[in-house]
Amino acid sequence: MQNRFEFIPLFREFIKSFAYTAQGLRCIAFYDDQRQQWCRKFEAITATLEANEDLVEPIVYQLFEQEIFALNNRDNNSANLSYIQINHLGKAILKFISRCNNHPQQLLEACCDFYTQNYCPAFPMELLTPILNALQPNYFISINSKTLQVINDFADTAYSQKLIHYPVVNIIGHNLIQQLIQEMHKPGVPALHDNDLFDMFCHWLVTIKQYNLAEPEILPIGDELSFTSATESIQDYTATQWTQETGLYPEILNKWAKVIERKKQVIFYGSPGTGKTFISEKVAHYIISSGDGFMEVVQFHPAYSYEDFIQGIRPQTEDGVLTYPLVPGRFLEFCQKAEACQGLCVLIIDEINRANLAQVFGELMYLLEYRDKKIRLAGNREQFSIPKNVRIIGTMNTADRSIALVDHALRRRFAFIELRPNYQVLRRYHEKHKTDFPIEKLIQELARLNRAIADKHYELGISFFLTENLDKHIADIWQMEIEPYLEEYFFDQPDKVEEFRWQRIESKIMS
């Protein structure tokens, strides 16, 4: 993987050294011409089909000319496709392109359907994605060997040219473009579509500069790959999976998803070990499934600042000169990526109450409540608003800081979902994994301990004990994780601590 800090400087070098050379200007003209040619070809094919004429001539020969026959000679051991096979392939191609053109959000399903057709699994994305890009440039990146090489290298992935990989490659490519978006829109940069400018940059990087890109171990086009592993982040996440992984019923998931959709931002809060972060990630996975959205996690801490989260001045060296540009923080970067997606995008803020929230959020306090408004950020003349597809999930450990201490203005902007120790989840976990651990006795002691604590903000959660080898680790967990916590909480009640030492608890649980 290349150093990601080189990505933006390389783009600046590309603009400065190549964009307005004679060769660069020819490239710029090429993109408009190519888009017009593809659109004309597709319109001609559509008109031909409306006249009920044969599919082979317009699709294979007009759209791809002789390129399609290169598939036969990739290994130099295949015979030419028959007329019937080409006709079948032509129908599948037209169906795929039409579906993506009319419903761009169905790209994943369209690729899956195309992949399962006869004669289609080996079809490379470099033949079809230029058409998608010409018809819907805001949604689809044109992928060729150069763009794929750059995407794989700077994103540390290893996807092949198989069309089945395109939904993931398209998302990764859009995310890389978002890293360059400010540079792309600066004065003096060619007025190309962002996707075209990225493609031109990749061409320069590989062909002109001959940058030292790694050669990833990509499987050949003809080899089978597991599509599940390639698209895990954007597949469906069902209520059944939710129940299997969390032990909670689907009704709870649906209820929480509705709250998030209504309020747009929520906080899961509770005592240590109640599974706040785990639950948040699973809920986010459910929200973004079946779409092209994504989720990211950021953890707050006492030193976290407005500059880290929204934007701030950061010293940088460019051509030996120290500069202080205004750099977007994690939230602005997240919003820029979300704007390239149609589906919901979720930002999880772990330990949200450990930072000075009023200071970190700044103008975001206003925008969280008025999602349809825009406001100027400090140090920036541009208007900013939170994209409509952005959702925020926070987690709050009430043992660190009570919810009552959170700024009231901020509390009004979030919905709060409380998580308490759920013994039924613990019970179902050990039943599912057939651990044979005496879980009922453990639950009795946990319930007794939490009654002694007598404060829901400091109750002991169940996540300490969600392990299949609990019988081997229970002593270490109790002595090294539970007892130190109790010593701190009962610092002025040593008798309470002694009552729940492992030496006393062991006989009650393990006997």
Side-chain angles (χ1 to χ4, degrees):
M1 180 181 66
Q2 294 297 328
N3 187 338
R4 297 184 183 185
F5 292 107
E6 298 178 2
F7 196 53
I8 293 177
L10 283 169
F11 182 82
R12 293 171 179 161
E13 182 183 347
F14 152 71
I15 295 298
K16 184 182 299 184
S17 65
F18 177 73
Y20 293 103
T21 64
Q23 187 176 359
L25 292 173
R26 286 196 297 271
C27 286
I28 293 172
F30 165 79
Y31 287 104
D32 286 338
D33 292 342
Q34 184 188 52
R35 177 165 286 112
Q36 292 175 13
Q37 288 179 18
W38 282 123
C39 289
R40 284 196 298 268
K41 285 183 178 182
F42 190 71
E43 289 173 359
I45 290 168
T46 304
T48 301
L49 292 175
E50 290 176 352
N52 295 318
E53 297 184 16
D54 198 313
L55 283 166
V56 175
E57 176 69 25
I59 292 181
V60 176
Y61 291 96
Q62 286 189 37
L63 201 58
F64 297 110
E65 298 175 353
Q66 298 299 319
E67 289 178 295
I68 195 169
F69 295 106
L71 290 172
N72 292 310
N73 302 318
R74 189 175 298 277
D75 299 319
N76 297 319
N77 59 3
S78 301
N80 284 343
L81 294 173
S82 69
Y83 181 90
I84 295 176
Q85 291 171 334
I86 293 176
N87 193 55
H88 175 93
L89 180 57
K91 291 180 180 179
I93 290 171
L94 181 69
K95 180 180 178 181
F96 171 78
I97 295 173
S98 299
R99 184 176 182 181
C100 292
N101 184 38
N102 296 326
H103 306 284
Q105 70 278 8
Q106 295 183 13
L107 173 64
L108 176 60
E109 295 89 343
C111 287
C112 288
D113 290 346
F114 186 84
Y115 186 75
T116 59
Q117 300 293 314
N118 291 334
Y119 325 117
C120 294
F123 210 77
M125 63 178 81
E126 64 184 340
L127 292 186
L128 285 179
T129 58
I131 310 172
L132 299 182
N133 173 260
L135 297 173
Q136 295 283 0
N138 291 329
Y139 292 98
F140 304 121
I141 294 177
S142 178
I143 299 296
N144 52 52
S145 60
K146 299 180 183 64
T147 54
L148 185 62
Q149 188 178 357
V150 172
I151 287 172
N152 274 329
D153 200 72
F154 279 94
D156 194 22
T157 55
Y159 293 111
S160 75
Q161 273 279 1
K162 272 189 174 182
L163 188 68
I164 195 68
H165 293 167
Y166 182 62
V168 183
V169 173
N170 191 49
I171 291 173
I172 296 172
H174 276 295
N175 289 341
L176 287 176
I177 289 173
Q178 286 303 311
Q179 296 182 32
L180 301 173
I181 204 71
Q182 289 187 325
E183 298 295 325
M184 287 180 166
H185 295 171
K186 284 184 175 179
V189 175
L192 284 173
H193 192 281
D194 295 342
N195 292 348
D196 294 342
L197 195 56
F198 178 72
D199 183 83
M200 185 177 170
F201 169 54
C202 294
H203 168 77
W204 170 83
L205 199 62
V206 175
T207 305
I208 309 300
K209 185 174 177 62
Q210 298 183 346
Y211 191 66
N212 185 27
L213 294 170
E215 292 292 340
E217 296 181 1
I218 301 177
L219 295 178
I221 294 293
D223 291 350
E224 292 299 324
L225 284 179
S226 170
F227 181 62
T228 302
S229 62
T231 60
E232 182 178 1
S233 61
I234 56 175
Q235 284 186 332
D236 288 344
Y237 182 75
T238 65
T240 301
Q241 289 174 279
W242 159 267
T243 299
Q244 291 173 347
E245 295 179 1
T246 67
L248 299 172
Y249 292 113
E251 293 79 8
I252 296 177
L253 174 62
N254 292 330
K255 179 181 178 181
W256 290 347
K258 288 179 181 178
V259 171
I260 295 171
E261 182 58 30
R262 174 183 62 83
K263 194 68 175 178
K264 306 298 189 281
Q265 49 263 345
V266 303
I267 290 178
F268 286 96
Y269 72 99
S271 58
T274 47
K276 297 176 290 296
T277 303
F278 178 79
I279 291 294
S280 297
E281 291 179 352
K282 296 304 176 183
V283 172
H285 197 171
Y286 177 74
I287 291 173
I288 68 174
S289 66
S290 302
D292 64 346
F294 63 96
M295 72 173 178
E296 289 185 2
V297 180
V298 58
Q299 187 176 62
F300 279 5
H301 51 77
Y304 213 80
S305 66
Y306 176 90
E307 290 74 17
D308 297 318
F309 194 58
I310 306 297
Q311 65 179 8
I313 294 175
R314 291 285 185 266
Q316 294 182 3
T317 302
E318 182 177 354
D319 298 330
V321 178
L322 184 63
T323 60
Y324 297 89
L326 189 65
V327 177
R330 285 295 301 275
F331 185 69
L332 259 63
E333 288 181 343
F334 178 86
C335 290
Q336 289 170 354
K337 295 177 184 178
E339 287 178 344
C341 302
Q342 295 299 305
L344 296 178
C345 303
V346 181
L347 179 65
I348 298 176
I349 306 176
D350 198 34
E351 304 285 2
I352 191 172
N353 57 322
R354 296 188 66 212
N356 183 337
L357 298 183
Q359 186 266 335
V360 170
F361 281 168
E363 300 93 342
L364 193 58
M365 295 280 283
Y366 174 82
L367 295 174
L368 287 175
E369 184 168 9
Y370 302 103
R371 282 294 194 104
D372 58 339
K373 303 292 185 180
K374 293 185 177 182
I375 194 173
R376 280 181 56 183
L377 300 177
N380 195 336
R381 294 183 178 180
E382 296 182 3
Q383 297 283 322
F384 172 74
S385 64
I386 302 175
K388 294 181 179 180
N389 60 338
V390 167
R391 304 292 181 266
I392 300 173
I393 299 177
T395 70
M396 178 182 293
N397 189 337
T398 53
D400 290 336
R401 186 182 184 192
S402 170
I403 188 175
L405 300 178
V406 178
D407 187 293
H408 282 279
L410 186 66
R411 287 176 63 184
R412 191 177 72 250
R413 287 158 171 79
F414 282 81
F416 284 80
I417 300 174
E418 184 179 34
L419 296 180
R420 300 284 297 276
N422 191 328
Y423 304 126
Q424 183 63 22
V425 171
L426 181 60
R427 184 178 291 113
R428 284 200 292 265
Y429 175 89
H430 285 276
E431 288 175 354
K432 173 186 175 182
H433 293 284
K434 300 179 181 179
T435 62
D436 295 327
F437 187 86
I439 199 64
E440 294 301 329
K441 293 182 178 179
L442 174 61
I443 289 174
Q444 290 177 8
E445 291 306 304
L446 286 177
R448 187 170 71 89
L449 173 56
N450 284 331
R451 286 195 298 271
I453 291 175
D455 187 336
K456 68 177 184 179
H457 298 312
Y458 295 90
E459 289 176 330
L460 199 67
I462 63 169
S463 63
F464 297 98
F465 310 103
L466 296 177
T467 173
E468 296 182 40
N469 299 317
L470 185 57
D471 57 334
K472 296 180 180 179
H473 303 300
I474 181 66
D476 290 341
I477 292 171
W478 199 279
Q479 290 176 311
M480 300 178 190
E481 299 178 50
I482 307 303
E483 288 185 13
Y485 179 74
L486 297 179
E487 288 170 357
E488 181 179 353
Y489 184 76
F490 292 118
F491 72 94
D492 58 346
Q493 302 178 65
D495 292 342
K496 288 284 188 182
V497 179
E498 293 303 318
E499 181 182 352
F500 292 99
R501 291 287 185 190
W502 176 243
Q503 290 82 352
R504 295 191 178 186
I505 295 296
E506 181 181 13
S507 60
K508 297 181 179 181
I509 297 178
M510 308 302 292
S511 60

